[in-house]
Amino acid sequence: MSGANTTSGGAAASPAGATNPWLIAVVVSLATFMEVLDTTIANVALRYISGGLAVSADQASWVVTTYLVSNATILVASSFIAERYGRRRFYLVCLATFTIASILCGLAWNLQSLLIFRMIQGFAGGGMVPTSQAILADSFPPAKRGQAFAMFGVAVVVAPVVGPTLGGYLSDNFSWHWCFLINGPVGVFAFILVYFLVEKSQEMRRKRQELRRQGVRFDLIGFLLVASFLGSLELVLDRGQTEDWFDSNFIIAMTALCVLSFALATPWVLTKSNPIIDGRLGTKQFGSCFIVMMATGAILIATTQFLPQVLQQDYRYTATWAGLALSPGGLVTMVMMFVAGRLTTVVQPKYMIATGALIIAGSMWWLTQLSPGLNFAFFVLSRLYIGLGLPLIFIAITSASYYGLRPDQTNQASAMINAARNIGGSIGVCIALNVLAHRQQWHQSRLVEHIVPSSPAYHETLQTMSRYFAQKGATMADAQSQATAWIGQQVQMQSSYLAYIDVFYVLTMIALSAIPLALILSNVELGEGGGGMH
C-alpha cells in the first residue's frame, strides 16, 4: 500500500482511530518514560543493593548490565513481532510483562533472582519503546508529527535525568526495592489506558494478512546473529573496564563473538528477502541520523552517569542532592522539546541538529572548568545548557530519520533509532570510563613527581599543615604524618578533577562530530514533522 493511501486513510487507519491522538501520545509517552527511567534509576542504588543482598559492588553492577544487554537484543526483533502478531497486542504484552517483572525485581530475594527478573524487564522494555514511537508516527498526520515526537522525546530524554534523582531519593529515604516497585501502579495505569484508547490499526491488520499470505516467517538466524552482535557488544562495553579489558578471557570471548556475529550478520541481512533488519534503511539520510543519535545517546547517558558521580565523589553530595543538580535541566528539556517540535515545521532538521550539537559542545566545554571551589549553581547551569541543546537534536533526528520511508518501515526505523541511542549510550560511558581511569593514573603520576623533599612548594606545604594539625592537639610526629596523608589526599583529588576535565573534553569532541554529519542530511519538506513517508 502506498504512503499516500495510508496517510489519507482517515482516522480508522491509525492506532488513534476515533480517539484524540494526543491522548495516545500521553499514554505511550508515560509507558516509555517508565521504561527509559529504569536504564538509570538503579545506578545510584547499586551500593544499597550490594549491601541489602550481601554481594560485592562488582556483582551488583550486573543489575545494570543485564538490563542493557537484554534491552538491546530484543530491539531488532520488535518490528517484525509487532507486524506479524499485531502492534497493539505486542505493546500490551510488553507493557504487562515489564510491569510484572518490575514488581518481581522489587521483591527479589537474592542477586540471582534479581538478575533474572531484570533481564525479563529489559526484554519487555526493549519492545515497548520502538513500538511506542511507531504508534505515534502512525497516529498523527505528518504536519503534527514533530509535536508528537516532542512529547515522546520528553520521556526518552528526561527519564535518564530523573532516574538518578528519583533513585537516590528512594534509596536514601526508603529502600532500593522501591526503585522497581514504583513501576507497578504506573504500569497498571498505562496498561488500562492503552487497552481502551489505542485501537487496532487497519493498516497493520492488512500487513499481517499479507505476511501470512506470503508465508513470511520470523528470521530466526538473522535475529540470533544480530542479537549476538548487540548483546556481546554491550557486554564488552559495559564490563570491559571492570574486567580489565583483554586481560580477561571473558572479554576476549565476547569480543570474538561480537566480531564473528557481525561478519556473519552483514551479508545475511543484505541478501535475505525478509531479514530481521531491513538493509534498505541504510541510506545516507538514515545512516547519518543513526550515527548522530549514537552521539546523542553517548552524551546523554555519559553526562547523566558522570555528573552525579563527580558530585558524590569529589564534592561530597548525597545521592539525592547529586540528582537534584540535574533536575532543573530536565525541566528545561521538557519545555524545549515542545519548542523544538514547533521548529520542525519552519527549520530544516539538519540546522536544528547542528545548532543543538554546538550548544551541547559548549556545555561540555563549560564543565572543563571543574575546580574544588565550584558551587551547586555551576552544575545546575551546566545541565541547563545541555537541556537547551538535546531537544533540538532529538526531535530533529527523529523527524529526519523517518523522511522518505514507507509506512511499513516505521517499526524498523523506530527499532534502529532506539538501538542507536542505547548503543551510543554504552559507547559513551565506555569511552568516559576509560578516559577517566587512564588519565587519573597519568595525572597522579605527574603530580607525584613534584612531591619530593627537594621541592620548596612541597616542603612549605608540609610544614604549614604540620603546624595546623599540631595546633589541633596532635604531637609533632602525628602532625607530620597527618600532613603527609593530607597532601596525598590532595594529589588524589586534583588528579580526579583533571581526569574528569579530560572526560568532558572528549565529550565536547563527540558533540562537535555531529555537526558535519547533520549538515549532509537532505532537506525535508517542512510541515511534515515526522518525515513524510513517501
Side-chain angles (χ1 to χ4, degrees):
M1 179 172 286
S2 68
N5 291 340
T6 302
T7 54
S8 62
S14 91
T19 305
N20 187 322
W22 285 107
L23 284 176
I24 304 297
V26 171
V27 172
V28 298
S29 296
L30 175 65
T32 299
F33 183 89
M34 179 178 65
E35 192 278 332
V36 179
L37 182 75
D38 270 49
T39 60
T40 58
I41 194 172
N43 288 355
V44 294
L46 290 180
R47 62 189 181 97
Y48 294 96
I49 294 173
S50 174
L53 297 180
V55 296
S56 67
D58 179 56
Q59 290 174 310
S61 66
W62 278 98
V63 172
V64 176
T65 302
T66 51
Y67 185 84
L68 292 174
V69 172
S70 58
N71 198 272
T73 54
I74 199 63
L75 277 171
V76 293
S78 62
S79 62
F80 178 88
I81 297 173
E83 290 177 355
R84 184 65 176 79
Y85 299 103
R87 187 160 55 196
R88 176 177 176 273
R89 183 185 304 166
F90 176 61
Y91 188 77
L92 286 171
V93 169
C94 287
L95 182 54
T97 305
F98 182 87
T99 303
I100 295 170
S102 297
I103 296 172
L104 291 174
C105 285
L107 301 176
W109 51 91
N110 56 30
L111 181 64
Q112 290 74 22
S113 62
L114 178 57
L115 295 183
I116 292 172
F117 299 143
R118 188 74 165 148
M119 190 176 299
I120 296 172
Q121 189 188 39
F123 278 125
M128 283 168 53
V129 177
T131 310
S132 297
Q133 196 169 342
I135 288 174
L136 280 182
D138 287 352
S139 296
F140 282 81
K144 294 185 177 180
R145 206 169 280 143
Q147 298 173 44
F149 284 144
M151 184 170 291
F152 179 82
V154 168
V156 172
V157 176
V158 176
V161 178
V162 175
T165 306
L166 183 59
Y169 176 79
L170 292 172
S171 299
D172 286 342
N173 296 282
F174 299 98
S175 166
W176 66 264
H177 300 83
W178 283 101
C179 293
F180 304 109
L181 292 175
I182 59 169
N183 288 337
V186 178
V188 171
F189 180 65
F191 182 92
I192 294 172
L193 291 179
V194 171
Y195 184 85
F196 287 105
L197 294 179
V198 178
E199 298 182 9
K200 295 179 180 179
S201 169
Q202 298 302 318
E203 174 65 25
M204 291 299 296
R205 181 178 297 176
R206 284 190 288 269
K207 177 68 175 176
R208 292 200 305 275
Q209 292 173 347
E210 181 66 17
L211 290 174
R212 291 193 187 100
R213 187 184 65 80
Q214 295 176 358
V216 176
R217 296 181 178 276
F218 181 67
D219 180 17
L220 181 59
I221 294 178
F223 169 70
L224 292 176
L225 290 174
V226 176
S228 297
F229 165 67
L230 291 175
S232 56
L233 177 63
E234 287 281 357
L235 282 170
V236 170
L237 293 173
D238 196 64
R239 303 296 301 178
Q241 182 66 30
T242 305
E243 301 285 342
D244 201 18
W245 291 105
F246 296 107
D247 286 336
S248 165
N249 291 331
F250 174 75
I251 296 298
I252 293 174
M254 288 299 102
T255 302
L257 176 61
C258 180
V259 173
L260 179 62
S261 55
F262 179 78
L264 295 175
T266 301
W268 181 272
V269 300
L270 291 176
T271 57
K272 188 172 173 61
S273 57
N274 291 289
I276 193 69
I277 293 179
D278 189 354
R280 291 167 295 180
L281 294 177
T283 61
K284 181 190 75 172
Q285 179 84 356
F286 189 83
S288 297
C289 291
F290 186 90
I291 296 173
V292 172
M293 184 58 88
M294 285 180 64
T296 304
I299 293 170
L300 173 63
I301 303 302
T303 55
T304 301
Q305 177 167 327
F306 281 86
L307 278 176
Q309 183 174 305
V310 71
L311 285 171
Q312 293 179 76
Q313 176 181 305
D314 293 338
Y315 292 88
R316 300 297 185 264
Y317 282 39
T318 65
T320 302
W321 277 100
L324 286 173
L326 276 63
S327 297
L331 295 176
V332 172
T333 301
M334 289 177 64
V335 175
M336 279 300 299
M337 277 293 179
F338 295 102
V339 173
R342 293 282 185 180
L343 288 176
T344 56
T345 63
V346 293
V347 180
Q348 286 293 338
K350 62 182 182 181
Y351 299 126
M352 290 177 61
I353 295 168
T355 303
L358 190 60
I359 293 172
I360 291 174
S363 69
M364 295 297 99
W365 185 266
W366 168 274
L367 284 167
T368 61
Q369 302 176 54
L370 280 182
S371 64
L374 296 178
N375 57 21
F376 184 78
F378 174 88
F379 296 99
V380 171
L381 283 173
S382 71
R383 200 66 193 185
L384 290 178
Y385 298 145
I386 297 174
L388 290 173
L390 275 176
L392 295 175
I393 296 180
F394 187 87
I395 298 301
I397 210 70
T398 305
S399 298
S401 64
Y402 279 95
Y403 189 76
L405 299 183
R406 301 188 311 273
D408 63 328
Q409 294 177 310
T410 57
N411 284 333
Q412 185 70 249
S414 297
M416 295 300 294
I417 287 297
N418 281 282
R421 189 188 72 251
N422 284 10
I423 295 171
S426 295
I427 292 175
V429 171
C430 174
I431 292 173
L433 279 172
N434 280 277
V435 170
L436 183 66
H438 290 95
R439 294 299 291 177
Q440 188 165 357
Q441 292 176 359
W442 188 87
H443 286 301
Q444 186 167 334
S445 298
R446 300 291 78 78
L447 291 172
V448 167
E449 291 174 357
H450 299 282
I451 304 179
V452 291
S454 59
S455 169
Y458 169 70
H459 183 73
E460 181 181 349
T461 302
L462 182 62
Q463 293 300 316
T464 300
M465 295 310 300
S466 295
R467 287 194 297 270
Y468 170 80
F469 288 116
Q471 291 171 0
K472 295 293 184 180
T475 64
M476 284 307 299
D478 289 341
Q480 189 164 14
S481 298
Q482 291 173 7
T484 302
W486 181 87
I487 292 173
Q489 291 174 354
Q490 295 305 305
V491 168
Q492 290 182 344
M493 184 177 294
Q494 289 297 325
S495 62
S496 176
Y497 284 127
L498 293 170
Y500 276 111
I501 287 172
D502 291 337
V503 168
F504 292 121
Y505 273 126
V506 171
L507 293 177
T508 302
M509 295 299 104
I510 291 176
L512 290 175
S513 70
I515 296 177
L517 286 170
L519 295 177
I520 67 172
L521 291 174
S522 303
N523 288 333
V524 305
E525 187 175 341
L526 296 179
E528 298 191 355
M533 298 181 187
H534 304 304

